[in-house]
Amino acid sequence: METEESNVSQAEEFKLLANEAFKAHKYSQAIDLYTKAIELKGQNAVYWANRAFAHIKLEEYGSAIQDASTAIEVDQKYSKGYYRRGAANLAMGKFKEALKDFQQLKKICPNDPDAAKKLKECEKAVMKLKFEEAIAVPESKRRPVAESIDFRSIDVEPEYSGARIEGEVVTLDFVKKMMEDFKNEKCIHKRYAYQIVLQTREMLQALPSLVDINVPNGKHFTVCGDVHGQFYDLLNIFELNGLPSEENPYLFNGDFVDRGSFSLEVILTLFAFKCMCPSAMYLARGNHESKSMNKIYGFEGEVRSKLNETFVELFAEVFCCLPLAHVINEKVFVVHGGLFSVDGVKLSDIRAIDRFCEPPEEGLMCELLWSDPQPTPGRGPSKRGVGLCFGVDVTKRFLQENNLDLVVRSHEVKDEGYEIEHDGKLITVFSAPNYCDQMGNKGAFIRFEAPDLKPNIVTFSAVPHPQVMPMAYANNFLRIVWLEKKVGKYAVA
């Protein structure tokens, strides 16, 4: 009896410590502490639901759904279990499953205006999805919107005072002026936006799915991770490391857009540098360069707000042209997510992927975009609910079979902006500091110098940006969930 009481008391202490870590945005630490509470008292729905919320904050939606489901099993009337599971389902684009959870939430809390509001938001999201599905043109009958645009026929008004492209060539002077305009929250003319995106599409289409990069001896090459619409931090990277050029080339490793509210400025800047000098800017696809993610996490809404509907379709088409991986000097494999559910994958298999589509939910392309490393050997289920987790043995085997030295990937926020794992054979790099104005993390980029290609990691802190909140253009319900942390009925208990 005393042992039981001691366990309950100790579990509560761990929960309180976990709540403090959560409120300080230390979500990984919070998960560890909630886990300790669960190990002492697993029949407490609060611990499971709180840990689910911490997983949501780290975008580990698969784990969040599992924890929320366990909370519901422990207590079928625990409202936060349904709320957490509904939020995680919504974040994964599983609108119909989310709706069931919020309908159940309303049954449990019939007089709660907050529950009613959240159900209404979810119903709106599902109705919007059904409407879009109903009016969608089948893929087989759809003509690429890029083929219907003639940017040369678009007139530029005399009063337009922003950056201008003279003729067909995107120059450094134009890109500098455009970045300065963006910095001052000015828009670029649609004619020039079309020109940049269409020219980038043409270049990307001609590339293989796996791009080989050659860095001559004595020269350097910079790899950046997720930027996620944090334009002012992108400017800071260029301030710290120099503008992209033939002598100072960059690879941005996916997730250029979504969450941050300056995603359009980020993508047009990166694309403009690609147009200016193709060998100065390499671009890889991330899991957020997809229609389903852009619909939920803000890029679609931002493009519609700042430009128009045609650009929404155009960006979706161009994202399908982005390469899936890069190899630097036949030694460093760079990919957004990670490795595979099967052994024996060769670089030639990646080159052979037909990437010109929306990412599938399984297979090599999906795993390249979604997978994560794990500390234990072997393979495990994805904490995100898509892809998988892979261990040090998987990494070493892949490198050995392909005569490579190192895997560089992105995809995960890290406190220091990077993390070295798998006995030094895998580096995660993340370039969005203080992610979503909440996480308090540093950003990082990696400079490689040939011939040894030893990774030199540079970290940096966030810089100020205009008072536009992250997720400003995201799905309204998801924005509510993301910003909810310290107060309110559905915060941690």
Side-chain angles (χ1 to χ4, degrees):
M1 186 70 179
E2 281 182 22
T3 306
E4 175 70 16
E5 287 177 6
S6 172
N7 283 353
V8 170
S9 174
Q10 203 175 350
E12 275 299 297
E13 285 179 26
F14 280 129
K15 185 200 83 167
L16 292 172
L17 290 170
N19 287 358
E20 289 306 309
F22 186 99
K23 289 169 186 174
H25 313 305
K26 295 177 179 177
Y27 302 117
S28 294
Q29 186 182 334
I31 287 169
D32 291 342
L33 290 163
Y34 288 133
T35 301
K36 288 179 179 177
I38 286 166
E39 286 167 352
L40 289 165
K41 189 68 179 171
Q43 290 303 106
N44 188 319
V46 173
Y47 303 162
W48 292 99
N50 281 3
R51 194 171 75 172
F53 200 4
H55 281 304
I56 287 171
K57 289 294 187 177
L58 291 177
E59 302 176 23
E60 298 170 354
Y61 303 120
S63 296
I65 288 169
Q66 287 180 338
D67 278 358
S69 296
T70 304
I72 292 165
E73 286 170 19
V74 171
D75 181 355
Q76 293 189 355
K77 292 192 182 298
Y78 188 54
S79 59
K80 286 186 184 177
Y82 295 100
Y83 179 61
R84 298 282 175 259
R85 192 169 69 183
N89 274 319
L90 194 66
M92 291 179 70
K94 296 180 177 179
F95 294 99
K96 290 165 188 173
E97 290 90 334
L99 183 59
K100 291 175 189 172
D101 285 320
F102 289 109
Q103 286 168 337
Q104 192 63 36
L105 176 67
K106 183 70 168 62
K107 281 183 189 174
I108 294 168
C109 310
N111 301 315
D112 178 8
D114 203 15
K117 179 184 175 185
K118 286 171 167 60
L119 174 60
K120 191 173 180 181
E121 287 292 345
C122 194
E123 285 173 337
K124 277 164 61 178
V126 172
M127 287 294 289
K128 186 181 177 191
L129 181 71
K130 284 181 179 175
F131 175 73
E132 287 170 350
E133 286 175 349
I135 63 169
V137 178
E139 203 70 45
S140 57
K141 295 182 180 178
R142 190 178 299 160
R143 182 188 170 204
V145 70
E147 294 177 7
S148 66
I149 299 164
D150 177 13
F151 68 85
R152 296 173 190 85
S153 68
I154 300 171
D155 293 327
V156 179
E157 299 79 9
E159 61 269 22
Y160 174 71
S161 60
R164 291 173 179 263
I165 302 172
E166 301 299 336
E168 302 292 310
V169 180
V170 174
T171 64
L172 179 58
D173 285 343
F174 164 79
V175 182
K176 284 180 175 177
K177 168 72 169 134
M178 182 183 72
M179 288 193 297
E180 192 62 30
D181 287 349
F182 285 161
K183 189 177 176 182
N184 295 318
E185 298 182 81
K186 294 178 183 174
C187 289
I188 185 175
H189 197 280
K190 288 184 180 66
R191 174 192 169 111
Y192 305 126
Y194 275 129
Q195 183 171 347
I196 289 165
V197 179
L198 289 167
Q199 286 185 6
T200 303
R201 174 180 179 267
E202 197 174 328
M203 278 184 277
L204 294 175
Q205 272 185 317
L207 295 173
S209 291
L210 173 68
V211 175
D212 289 293
I213 297 169
N214 178 51
V215 183
N217 287 352
K219 302 294 185 181
H220 65 268
F221 188 87
T222 302
V223 177
C224 295
D226 304 34
V227 180
H228 274 302
Q230 296 185 197
F231 175 70
Y232 295 83
D233 294 305
L234 175 66
L235 293 182
N236 189 39
I237 291 172
F238 294 151
E239 190 73 31
L240 295 169
N241 196 56
L243 291 174
S245 68
E246 203 158 350
E247 293 297 307
N248 189 37
Y250 284 80
L251 163 57
F252 280 82
N253 196 29
D255 282 15
F256 323 119
V257 301
D258 280 339
R259 292 200 178 275
S261 296
F262 304 95
S263 293
L264 182 64
E265 289 80 357
V266 166
I267 197 66
L268 286 176
T269 298
L270 297 179
F271 280 6
F273 275 117
K274 185 70 179 172
C275 293
M276 181 198 83
C277 179
S279 60
M281 178 63 68
Y282 294 84
L283 300 165
R285 193 172 194 174
N287 62 304
H288 275 267
E289 278 71 53
S290 71
K291 277 185 186 177
S292 59
M293 292 291 103
N294 297 162
K295 196 176 292 296
I296 301 168
Y297 290 97
F299 184 59
E300 183 179 300
E302 183 182 342
V303 171
R304 195 175 280 121
S305 171
K306 293 178 180 178
L307 290 170
N308 58 36
E309 186 69 37
T310 305
F311 273 99
V312 172
E313 289 300 315
L314 182 58
F315 276 114
E317 289 176 9
V318 179
F319 287 165
C320 290
C321 300
L322 287 162
L324 302 177
H326 293 76
V327 174
I328 305 170
N329 287 10
E330 301 181 347
K331 291 297 175 190
V332 180
F333 180 72
V334 189
V335 66
H336 180 72
L339 300 180
F340 311 102
S341 56
V342 293
D343 289 331
V345 176
K346 297 289 197 292
L347 297 182
S348 56
D349 297 320
I350 300 169
R351 282 192 187 92
I353 296 171
D354 180 4
R355 71 183 188 278
F356 297 99
C357 60
E358 288 301 312
E361 293 187 11
E362 58 185 13
L364 296 186
M365 182 172 169
C366 170
E367 290 160 4
L368 284 163
L369 300 181
W370 280 95
S371 294
D372 296 287
Q374 65 182 24
T376 53
R379 295 177 172 91
S382 169
K383 53 196 175 185
R384 300 173 189 269
V386 188
L388 72 145
C389 288
F390 59 96
V392 60
D393 53 329
V394 176
T395 297
K396 287 182 175 178
R397 204 153 46 237
F398 173 78
L399 292 173
Q400 189 174 6
E401 289 173 351
N402 288 284
N403 195 28
L404 298 163
D405 293 339
L406 179 68
V407 173
V408 173
R409 44 90 62 179
S410 304
H411 197 38
E412 285 183 284
V413 61
K414 298 293 181 182
D415 287 344
E416 294 302 314
Y418 73 97
E419 186 173 358
I420 301 172
E421 300 171 81
H422 292 185
D423 297 338
K425 294 295 184 182
L426 182 143
I427 303 176
T428 297
V429 60
F430 191 85
S431 303
N434 194 25
Y435 182 42
C436 287
D437 290 357
Q438 279 199 16
M439 303 296 279
N441 60 292
K442 289 180 181 174
F445 54 82
I446 308 174
R447 275 174 67 109
F448 292 95
E449 189 159 326
D452 64 352
L453 296 187
K454 182 183 174 186
N456 177 27
I457 301 170
V458 179
T459 65
F460 56 95
S461 298
V463 295
H465 63 75
Q467 292 303 307
V468 183
M469 294 286 287
M471 306 285 279
Y473 300 94
N475 172 285
N476 191 42
F477 180 83
L478 198 66
R479 186 165 63 248
I480 293 167
V481 174
W482 181 255
L483 296 175
E484 191 170 43
K485 52 186 184 294
K486 292 185 182 177
V487 295
K489 181 177 172 62
Y490 295 104
V492 289

